[in-house]
Amino acid sequence: MQPDGALTVEAYAKLNLGLAVGRERDDGYHEIATIFQSISLSDTLRLSAASGDSDELVVRGAPVPTGADNLILRALARLRAQTAFAPVRTELTKRIPVAAGLGGGSSDAAAALVGVVALHGLSLGQETLGKAALDVGSDVPFFLSGGTMRGGGRGELLEPLPALTGVWFVLATPARAIRAGDAYARARIGLTDDEGFIRLICSGIRERDLPALAGALRNDLEPGVVSLCPSVSSLKQQLLASGAAGAAMSGSGPTVFGIFEKEESAKSAASRLRGRGHTVYVAEPIDVGYRISTQ
Ligand code: ATP
């Protein structure tokens, strides 16, 4: 137990193994079909009681907003609109690249929600937490559970899939941040709203058929993001040339990932890929969205 009752939450990043983008709805969101996968790249949140009378946030690592725009503070404010709790101090160690298609901000928001429930022993239903999560962003409900899930609607209609095991991912993140709005504005909707590949990814996961899964990886936002960030295309080619069974962009990009059967092949592909202008990570699938510890 930490001396001041503090706790830490490991907030895992996600990949979108597939992302099909459909029509724009009346509320401005696109209808999507996606396969979310939690991965072993994470941020760490340390939560404790705040000394003052409002929530406090300290960020180490990559620069993100520290004011009310931070998704952690936004999540706490949305939860407080539903239930009262004492102010919280969060120390965030940021490792997940920002605005990179890996859902780092959404994962931090979900981790703050589950963290404050544990810190203050709040007795809340999943519904209350789910509502606060969706108020913060479309991907946040996924991070409340994590693992391997099919997402529909704007990403919040979740259906668990069997845990993906026995694969490794190599991620390459170009230095350029992509705003999700810019990626969606360039999506080729109408040409690409066929969800067949999402079904193929689901059956590849269910049948533990790596070639089938790898062959179906696709992201409808990728062609539009390539026009903003051409290295998405060259990094994808390099991943395939380095032995990836399949490769695609994650979320709204620009991170590209390749899928490998063996850890050694993933690590040797990663060392060949390291270079200027992008960052390379090796990660494995995780079957939860976060881990809380009081140690
Ligand atoms: P997605 O995959 O869900 O599209 P992303 O990985 O592309 O998300 P994030 O890293 O979550 O994007 O960041 C999106 C924006 O949110 C950035 O512009 C960033 O400044 C802002 N932001 C606010 N709070 C955070 C946070 N705690 N961590 C990361 N970004 C944050």
Side-chain angles (χ1 to χ4, degrees), residues 14 43 64-65 69-72 92 94 97-106 108 139 178 180 251-253:
K14 58 83 180 160
D43 290 340
V64 289
D69 276 356
N70 191 288
L71 299 180
I72 290 174
L92 168 67
K94 192 81 207 152
V98 178
L102 298 171
S106 302
D108 293 348
D139 286 356
I178 299 285
S252 48

Side-chain angles (χ1 to χ4, degrees), residues 14-266:
K14 58 83 180 160
L15 292 175
N16 299 85
L17 302 182
L19 178 58
V21 180
R23 63 172 185 91
E24 189 175 345
R25 317 186 311 188
D26 294 343
D27 62 7
Y29 291 100
H30 285 271
E31 199 64 35
I32 64 164
T34 189
I35 308 297
F36 290 115
Q37 176 62 58
S38 297
I39 56 166
S40 55
L41 175 64
S42 64
D43 290 340
T44 306
L45 286 77
R46 182 176 186 276
L47 272 71
S48 56
S51 53
D53 54 9
S54 54
D55 293 326
E56 299 161 7
L57 176 67
V58 179
V59 182
R60 302 187 188 91
V64 289
T66 51
D69 276 356
N70 191 288
L71 299 180
I72 290 174
L73 294 180
R74 214 185 285 173
L76 295 174
R78 296 293 156 94
L79 189 62
R80 201 171 270 116
Q82 298 185 70
T83 187
F85 55 88
V88 180
R89 173 184 173 83
T90 308
E91 291 159 50
L92 168 67
T93 306
K94 192 81 207 152
R95 295 182 210 89
I96 304 172
V98 178
L102 298 171
S106 302
S107 187
D108 293 348
L113 292 175
V114 296
V116 76
V117 167
L119 184 75
H120 288 321
L122 304 177
S123 69
L124 296 179
Q126 275 305 310
E127 211 176 295
T128 309
L129 225 47
K131 182 179 178 323
L134 187 57
D135 279 353
V136 178
S138 302
D139 286 356
V140 184
F142 162 72
F143 291 98
L144 290 178
S145 357
T148 312
M149 295 241 184
R150 186 189 197 285
R154 51 183 265 217
E156 84 287 19
L157 304 176
L158 297 163
E159 180 197 322
L161 290 166
L164 180 64
T165 53
V167 300
W168 288 82
F169 298 110
V170 175
L171 280 57
T173 304
R176 179 179 175 148
I178 299 285
R179 290 186 333 125
D182 291 340
Y184 275 92
R186 284 170 177 76
R188 296 186 191 159
I189 293 145
L191 289 177
T192 56
D193 62 357
D194 160 28
E195 288 181 29
F197 66 99
I198 296 292
R199 283 192 289 276
L200 290 176
I201 295 172
C202 286
S203 62
I205 292 170
R206 286 201 174 96
E207 286 155 31
R208 304 193 176 282
D209 182 343
L210 179 62
L213 161 64
L217 302 179
R218 186 175 117 184
N219 183 333
D220 284 347
L221 297 178
E222 194 178 305
V225 173
V226 167
S227 66
L228 293 171
C229 181
S231 54
V232 164
S233 170
S234 53
L235 288 169
K236 183 170 156 178
Q237 292 317 317
Q238 288 176 57
L239 279 163
L240 293 169
S242 304
M249 189 181 82
S250 179
S252 48
T255 299
V256 187
F257 66 94
I259 190 164
F260 294 79
E261 198 173 355
K262 295 207 167 65
E263 182 179 5
E264 310 92 83
S265 346

